[in-house]
Amino acid sequence: MSKEINNIAVFTSGGDAPGMNAAIRAVVRTSIFYNKKIFGIYRGYEGMIEGDIEELDARSVGNIIQRGGTILKSARSDEFRTKEGRQKAYENLKEKGIDALVAIGGDGTFTGLHNFYLEHKMPVICIPGTIDNDLPGTDFTIGYDTATNTVVDAVDKIRDTALSHNRLFFIEVMGRDSGYIAINSGIAGGAAAIIIPEDEMTIDELVAKLDKGVESKKSSSLVVVAEGGKLGNALQIAEEVHKRFPYYDTKVTILGHLQRGGSPTYFDRVLASKMGVYAVEGIMAGKTDVMVGIQNGITVYNDFESTMVKNHEIEPEALRISKILSI
Ligand code: F6P
C-alpha cells in the first residue's frame, strides 16, 4: 500500500500558458478540501533547487482564475537536468516535509520530473499545461484553446487590412514542432493555405494553390505558417513565394509571445479546474509518474514515458477539411 500523503507542493515550469493559474487554484483548493497541506514552489525547478517554497491557503489563490501567466512564475532550469541539482531539490522538499509533487507544464517538465521520481521515489503527477497541445494522452492541454482563439482574433484583424490592399499575408504562429495551433486557427480563420510540420507542402505546391486563388478572383490571401516547419519560417517562405509570385504584395506577421498571454477562455478554465482536482485525487489514490489527461470526456492517467515519446497527432479530419475549404 502507498504511504499516506499529507504535504503536497505545486509548481509551474516551462513556457507559461493561459489557465495555469486556474490549475494552481484547483490544486491548492482540492488539497485543502482533503485536509492536506499545500505548498507553492516559485520559478519551477529553479525555485525547488533554491528552496523558494511557501505554504499556500485557499485565499492565496483568490482572484486568479481569470488571469493569464502563472502566479508561481516559471523557468527553464539547466541545473535540474543534473543529478546533483535534483538531489538539492529533494533535500529542500524533505526539509519542508513535502511528500508529493504536482507539476503543471509540458514535456520538458515531465522529463525532469520523471528522472526525479526514478531517483527519489517521491510521488509525482503532471498536469499538461502548454499552448502547443503537443502531448499525447489528453485531447487538450491547458492554454491551447486560449492561444488558438488569440490567433483567430489576430487572423480576422489581418484579413481586414489584407482585403483592403489585396495583399498576401503570411502569419506565423507558435507550436514548437507541432502544427495544432496552426491547423485549427487556419481553419477557423479561413486561411488560403496552412503550413504545418505534419503535412509539409512544397513552395511549388503553395504557389500553385495561391495562383488558383488569384484565377478564381480571391482578393486577399492569408497563409498560416506553423513555426516548426521544414520549409522555414514565415519570412523565408514569404521571400521564396515573392520570387515566383512578384505581382503579389507580400507581408509577414509573426504573432510570437502574445499567443501565450491573456485571460484564459472558459474552456481552459474548466479544463484546468478539472485537471487540478483529478491530479490531487490521483496522487492521493497512489498514482505516480503519470500525467493526468482527459480523453473523450474521460479522465485518464498516462505514464510519463508514453507521453514523452511522440507528439500528439493532428486529426486527419482537420487536415482533410482544411484542404476542401481553402479552394
Ligand atoms: O512551448 C510553448 C512555446 O510557446 C512554443 O510554442 C514556443 O516554440 C516556445 O514555447 C517559445 O519559448 P520561449 O518563451 O522560451 O521563447
Side-chain angles (χ1 to χ4, degrees):
M1 224 183 78
S2 51
K3 228 177 105 221
E4 198 193 342
I5 287 168
N6 292 307
N7 302 317
I8 301 172
V10 59
F11 65 98
T12 47
S13 167
D16 61 312
M20 278 186 165
N21 280 327
I24 295 169
R25 173 181 178 270
V27 170
V28 169
R29 294 199 173 167
T30 309
S31 302
I32 293 167
F33 181 84
Y34 288 113
N35 299 317
K36 308 294 170 194
K37 271 194 176 182
I38 176 78
F39 295 80
I41 303 170
Y42 291 88
R43 295 176 294 115
Y45 294 125
E46 285 292 307
M48 207 183 281
I49 290 170
E50 290 167 23
D52 197 357
I53 304 170
E54 193 176 84
E55 191 175 341
L56 302 173
D57 60 30
R59 301 285 75 79
S60 330
V61 290
N63 302 312
I64 65 167
I65 195 165
Q66 79 287 9
R67 282 168 55 190
T70 157
I71 59 158
L72 292 178
K73 313 251 184 215
S74 193
R76 294 194 167 104
S77 168
D78 285 334
E79 201 178 348
F80 198 79
R81 289 182 221 275
T82 67
K83 209 171 173 177
E84 296 70 36
R86 294 192 289 270
Q87 178 65 33
K88 267 198 223 165
Y90 179 72
E91 282 159 20
N92 286 330
L93 296 171
K94 280 283 110 184
E95 200 189 298
K96 299 262 184 205
I98 291 162
D99 41 30
L101 288 177
V102 179
I104 306 167
D107 55 355
T109 307
F110 295 8
T111 309
L113 207 55
H114 178 61
N115 292 333
F116 177 85
Y117 172 71
L118 293 181
E119 285 157 14
H120 300 290
K121 298 287 175 247
M122 180 182 284
V124 296
I125 196 160
C126 256
I127 297 176
T130 164
I131 64 165
D132 300 338
N133 204 30
D134 57 349
L135 299 167
T138 190
D139 293 341
F140 297 104
T141 57
I142 296 166
Y144 162 73
D145 185 68
T146 307
T148 307
N149 275 297
T150 300
V151 172
V152 172
D153 182 51
V155 169
D156 289 349
K157 287 178 173 148
I158 291 169
R159 180 183 289 281
D160 289 344
T161 174
L163 257 175
S164 306
H165 291 267
N166 279 357
R167 279 174 166 160
L168 167 61
F169 267 85
F170 291 84
I171 305 166
E172 184 178 298
V173 303
M174 279 187 168
R176 206 177 290 273
D177 47 10
S178 161
Y180 248 98
I181 295 178
I183 189 79
N184 286 319
S185 63
I187 292 173
I194 305 169
I195 301 178
I196 56 170
E198 296 86 343
D199 181 51
E200 211 84 65
M201 62 173 83
T202 63
I203 295 282
D204 286 340
E205 284 164 346
L206 176 62
V207 170
K209 197 168 175 46
L210 294 171
D211 260 334
K212 253 190 168 171
V214 173
E215 279 161 28
S216 65
K217 301 206 171 9
K218 270 196 179 180
S219 48
S220 72
S221 281
L222 306 177
V223 179
V224 174
V225 180
E227 66 176 347
K230 292 173 210 76
L231 275 189
N233 60 33
L235 279 165
Q236 292 163 325
I237 296 173
E239 211 178 291
E240 272 306 302
V241 170
H242 190 68
K243 278 188 207 155
R244 303 181 208 189
F245 217 32
Y247 46 93
Y248 239 123
D249 186 3
T250 309
K251 297 280 173 190
V252 175
T253 304
I254 297 169
L255 294 180
H257 285 81
L258 76 82
Q259 296 162 88
R260 290 244 294 264
S263 181
T265 56
Y266 110 83
F267 182 89
D268 273 329
R269 297 182 199 194
V270 173
L271 182 71
S273 299
K274 285 182 179 168
M275 285 182 167
V277 172
Y278 300 151
V280 174
E281 291 181 341
I283 211 154
M284 283 168 46
K287 304 222 178 287
T288 184
D289 203 26
V290 292
M291 177 192 94
V292 57
I294 300 178
Q295 288 180 308
N296 300 320
I298 294 167
T299 310
V300 288
Y301 297 94
N302 287 292
D303 290 348
F304 279 169
E305 269 172 341
S306 68
T307 66
M308 291 179 318
V309 286
K310 59 178 173 95
N311 260 5
H312 184 192
E313 278 167 28
I314 300 278
E315 312 134 70
E317 269 308 88
L319 266 177
R320 194 175 75 83
I321 285 166
S322 72
K323 287 181 179 155
I324 293 175
L325 300 183
S326 60
I327 53 168

